[in-house]
Amino acid sequence: MKHLLKLLDLSGEQITELLNLGDQLKYEQKHGIDHQRLKGQTLGMIFQKSSTRTRVSFEVGIHQLGGTGLFLSANDLQIGRGEPVQDTARVLSRYLDGVMIRTFAQQEVEDLAKFGSIPVINGLTDFCHPCQVLADLMTVREHKGGLAGLKLCYIGDGNNMANSLIVGGLKVGMNVSVATPKAYQPDGTVLSFASAYGDKFSLTDDIHAAAAGADVVFTDVWASMGMEGEAQQRRAAFTGYQVNDELLSVCARDVMVQHCLPAHRGEEITESVFEAHANEIFDEAENRLHAQKAVMVKLMEKPPLF
Ligand code: CP
Ligand code: NVA
């Protein structure tokens, strides 16, 4: 594994290895056990979009591993003035040991990896959010004791979260059901990937059919970053695609609820469901830190010299 560009590039075994390492690093951090496995290394963090969790968890994570994080706002980089990503990649590779990027086009992340010579980590694109879904799977596994055979349900926009949850969930042996309005389905490449899983995957516009018997229900905002201009139209299109108490009544009795955050209460999730499941949702947010530390160690740790 040289990069984390999208979960489609990883095997189920590689995902599980990352989750295991995330659990181990979490244990070491909680018990004060030294795990400075990236001493002296520098991670650059390029942000073309806003962030609370991704920025803070990467910056704290690299610090806990003994390295340094460099926050690089795209507005202040020459990339924001049109310097090609091919050149930025080759320059940053001369200074940094790894780079995380949050941007719009998946191609930009792929190009950063193609033209640079250091590990690249996708911190969210319009296409996917692999770091988030590693944290999500880690959280579900922690709460449920395993993943294979559980039913993961996603309700809402067929966006970056839907794409990554479908791929990640199927690869670790979960059954995945998705409900989106017909005009907002997940990406075609993800749907063709999922079609190979037969009846372990289902896509519908009926939220009750998708949620029936679910062990964990995910949702996400109706208008992602970059789509603010469509917010009003989307509010109309997604009416009814809400995770509320009535929907949870058709799920498994001990259903978990996950939300990558930020959440819009009263839109994709009700206040009552959010607060009843807040413990699971904030465990999920915490696990961004541990899962991403695992990604950084896997990609950036150097073998001993002697
Ligand atoms: N869930 C997530 O990626 O949050 P931020 O946008 O705050 O980084
Ligand atoms: N789908 C959301 C996720 C935010 C973490 C977005 O892209 O804005």
Side-chain angles (χ1 to χ4, degrees):
M1 214 176 123
K2 277 165 76 174
H3 305 285
L4 178 62
L5 308 180
K6 53 187 180 299
L7 293 181
L8 279 170
D9 299 336
L10 270 56
S11 64
E13 291 70 34
Q14 285 174 314
I15 293 175
T16 304
E17 258 177 56
L18 285 169
L19 302 184
N20 293 345
L21 182 54
D23 285 350
Q24 182 193 325
L25 293 169
K26 181 170 183 173
Y27 180 88
E28 289 174 357
Q29 191 229 324
K30 302 268 182 212
H31 291 83
I33 299 168
D34 176 49
H35 57 287
Q36 297 209 338
R37 293 170 64 166
L38 301 180
K39 228 177 196 148
Q41 297 203 37
T42 308
L43 177 82
M45 308 182 300
I46 304 175
F47 283 93
Q48 301 254 24
K49 291 175 175 172
S50 306
S51 171
T52 297
R53 282 145 288 269
T54 306
R55 177 184 175 177
V56 177
S57 56
F58 266 107
E59 198 158 333
V60 169
I62 185 74
H63 172 75
Q64 291 180 354
L65 291 167
T68 303
L70 215 54
F71 174 69
L72 304 166
S73 161
N75 293 334
D76 303 323
L77 294 175
Q78 296 288 8
I79 212 170
R81 295 177 57 247
E83 183 170 16
V85 67
Q86 297 92 305
D87 297 353
T88 306
R90 284 176 285 185
V91 171
L92 293 182
S93 296
R94 305 289 179 117
Y95 305 133
L96 301 171
D97 300 288
V99 61
M100 186 240 78
I101 178 166
R102 165 168 287 196
T103 189
F104 295 87
Q106 178 69 18
Q107 192 57 48
E108 202 174 329
V109 179
E110 306 275 342
D111 284 347
L112 200 56
K114 180 170 168 200
F115 292 98
S117 53
I118 53 173
V120 174
I121 301 170
N122 183 341
L124 179 147
T125 60
D126 292 344
F127 175 65
C128 64
H129 199 0
C131 291
Q132 178 70 53
V133 168
L134 290 172
D136 296 348
L137 295 175
M138 184 173 163
T139 312
V140 175
R141 197 171 76 158
E142 239 171 37
H143 280 257
K144 297 284 184 194
L147 293 169
L150 292 182
K151 179 171 177 177
L152 182 165
C153 167
Y154 175 88
I155 304 285
D157 186 18
N159 61 12
N160 42 15
M161 279 304 300
N163 291 335
S164 288
L165 283 167
I166 293 169
V167 175
L170 290 173
K171 285 198 180 216
V172 298
M174 300 176 89
N175 299 304
V176 178
S177 65
V178 174
T180 69
K182 285 206 168 70
Y184 295 93
Q185 291 187 344
D187 190 89
T189 56
V190 168
L191 293 182
S192 75
F193 162 83
S195 66
Y197 285 80
D199 61 7
K200 289 184 78 80
F201 175 71
S202 67
L203 174 64
T204 172
D205 59 0
D206 177 344
I207 62 168
H208 293 96
D215 297 294
V216 52
V217 174
F218 283 83
T219 188
D220 187 17
V221 291
W222 292 341
S224 285
M225 289 182 278
M227 292 170 189
E228 291 79 4
E230 294 177 19
Q232 205 178 330
Q233 173 194 334
R234 283 171 168 269
R235 229 170 268 131
F238 286 97
T239 303
Y241 286 80
Q242 186 186 61
V243 177
N244 53 33
D245 289 305
E246 187 270 324
L247 184 70
L248 293 193
S249 72
V250 307
C251 299
R253 216 165 20 88
D254 57 351
V255 66
M256 250 179 104
V257 176
Q258 296 278 268
H259 193 308
C260 64
L261 304 175
H264 289 191
R265 291 164 169 80
E267 293 193 2
E268 77 277 3
I269 191 165
T270 57
E271 170 83 17
S272 142
V273 168
F274 187 94
E275 290 305 334
H277 293 270
N279 188 37
E280 295 153 10
I281 292 171
F282 291 107
D283 278 352
E284 177 187 11
E286 176 185 335
N287 283 337
R288 294 294 303 279
L289 171 68
H290 309 296
Q292 288 159 196
K293 282 168 74 178
V295 171
M296 289 189 279
V297 166
K298 261 286 181 261
L299 297 178
M300 293 166 66
E301 192 172 41
K302 306 221 179 354
L305 284 176
F306 301 103

